[in-house]
Amino acid sequence: MALLDRSLREFLDDVAAAGRTPGGGSVAALVTALAAALLAKIARTSTAWPDSRGIAAQAESLRDRAAPLAQADAEEYEAAFQAREDEGEAGERRDFALGRAYARAAEPPLQIARAATDVAELAVVVARNGDPAFHADAVIAALLAAAAASSAAELVGVNLTTSARDERVREAGRLAESAARAAEEARAARE
């Protein structure tokens, strides 16, 4: 059964169970989707804000972009571990196959970092313009998205252990930094 088709309790049990997946990447994707959903709620509640409907639609789009990454991350990470355990090939061929598997496993976390950064940046707009009664929720959405971006960036680096100079590792780091800055902007928006 797909992760998104499970109840929240089942998903939590899956995360807590012995086994490799779902793990940190799936959790980061779900946190990103939840932060986006929270922004959609705030925008829908901010009826005096002329752009609220468009912002709610953007937040929903980000939620829909992030949520499936929970499954993608679990599948690619599991495939990388399967490749590692595969005894069929040896030497350079095995190294090449492992490198490709881990490069594929790095892609969902990179996508999570991108989506989470977009959510954090949207949270700044919501924090500045949304109903002031929900400012704290906009800040929370930004903080959650920033944490997810940072977590996903860590996974990109772990999966691409060959070089910290890999452009994907550097991009993930930049995204995490941007998301953290956005969270601070959201926090300061009404002060």
Side-chain angles (χ1 to χ4, degrees):
M1 176 184 283
L3 291 175
L4 292 179
D5 293 334
R6 301 181 63 72
S7 72
L8 180 57
R9 181 168 304 284
E10 290 170 327
F11 181 80
L12 292 171
D13 288 345
D14 289 347
V15 171
R20 295 184 289 252
T21 59
S26 296
V27 170
L30 187 59
V31 166
T32 301
L34 287 167
L38 187 55
L39 293 177
K41 174 190 279 299
I42 298 164
R44 283 195 180 91
T45 304
S46 302
T47 56
W49 181 18
D51 295 332
S52 66
R53 291 176 66 189
I55 296 297
Q58 273 187 283
E60 288 291 343
S61 177
L62 286 167
R63 184 188 78 170
D64 292 345
R65 189 171 121 203
L69 294 172
Q71 185 73 39
D73 182 79
E75 289 172 358
E76 291 296 345
Y77 190 62
E78 191 65 42
F81 263 96
Q82 291 298 325
R84 190 168 135 197
E85 293 174 356
D86 184 12
E87 307 263 337
E89 296 187 15
E92 287 182 20
R93 290 178 64 111
R94 184 172 193 284
D95 291 344
F96 179 76
L98 274 175
R100 285 181 50 129
Y102 276 95
R104 283 191 305 271
E107 188 56 32
L110 184 56
Q111 291 178 31
I112 294 164
R114 290 172 181 151
T117 301
D118 290 345
V119 170
E121 290 171 352
L122 186 62
V124 175
V125 175
V126 174
R128 288 182 179 149
N129 300 290
D131 185 335
F134 294 96
H135 180 258
D137 284 338
V139 172
I140 288 166
L143 291 168
L144 289 170
S150 180
S151 301
E154 181 69 20
L155 292 174
V156 171
V158 166
N159 289 330
L160 296 173
T161 58
T162 56
S163 173
R165 292 178 303 205
D166 186 299
E167 177 52 36
R168 293 164 293 182
V169 173
R170 292 197 324 252
E171 178 187 355
R174 287 190 304 268
L175 289 164
E177 290 169 6
S178 293
R181 280 192 304 274
E184 289 307 313
E185 283 183 55
R187 181 180 272 149
R190 298 266 176 169
E191 292 178 354

